[in-house]
Amino acid sequence: MKHLIYIILLLFVSCYIPELHEGPIDNTVPIIETNPVNAGTASPQNLIGQTWNLFYYRFGQMGQVMSANDTLEFITATKYKYNGTEYTYHLYSTGSGFNLNLYETPWGNLSGSILSNNIANGKIYGTKFVDISVGSSNTTEYYLWMNRI
């Protein structure tokens, strides 16, 4: 009986609940979408007329988070301005959310998966993007933090 009490005490003492931290590094888990989007159907989600601020970015999974202050204005269904210069983008529905392709960013042509809630809530935090430039051998992952203004 004495050993059983020690084992139970040891279990309670060894349990660890991690602290919840706010900030760009700990905010990298995806937002769970409560209303899934059906693939192949038209979606009311779009970025037209919205302005977003890119305020953090990171190269690779373990890179240092860097500050930014870039503005993305989504003008039409395929045109956006990155800090005032017009480029092309594509936002299309996938089985689990949306794929956002941003062309001509400072890091190349980037593509990342976002959820409907990211657009609805105006928050994209620590989402992974990859370079999709034709012929590029760049395998770097880019993590972006953006808020709708």
Side-chain angles (χ1 to χ4, degrees), residues 33-48:
E33 182 178 359
T34 56
N35 297 320
V37 176
N38 295 326
T41 61
S43 170
Q45 297 288 3
N46 68 62
L47 299 172
I48 300 170

Side-chain angles (χ1 to χ4, degrees), residues 91-102:
L91 177 71
Y92 54 91
S93 179
T94 64
S96 61
F98 294 91
N99 195 28
L100 175 61
N101 295 345
L102 298 170

Side-chain angles (χ1 to χ4, degrees), residues 44-57:
Q45 297 288 3
N46 68 62
L47 299 172
I48 300 170
Q50 297 182 17
T51 301
W52 290 66
N53 175 251
L54 188 150
F55 59 94
Y56 288 126
Y57 65 94

Side-chain angles (χ1 to χ4, degrees), residues 45-89:
Q45 297 288 3
N46 68 62
L47 299 172
I48 300 170
Q50 297 182 17
T51 301
W52 290 66
N53 175 251
L54 188 150
F55 59 94
Y56 288 126
Y57 65 94
R58 180 177 72 208
F59 300 131
Q61 292 182 356
M62 303 305 287
Q64 181 179 359
V65 176
M66 307 292 287
S67 293
N69 190 19
D70 296 337
T71 303
L72 288 75
E73 293 178 67
F74 295 93
I75 306 163
T76 69
T78 60
K79 299 289 182 189
Y80 81 109
K81 288 184 180 180
Y82 191 104
N83 290 335
T85 304
E86 191 172 303
Y87 300 109
T88 303
Y89 81 98

Side-chain angles (χ1 to χ4, degrees), residues 15 18-20 22 35 44 54-55 66 71 82 105 117 131:
C15 290
E19 275 185 52
L20 296 176
E22 298 238 358
N35 297 320
L54 188 150
F55 59 94
M66 307 292 287
T71 303
Y82 191 104
T105 73
N117 283 345
D131 188 358

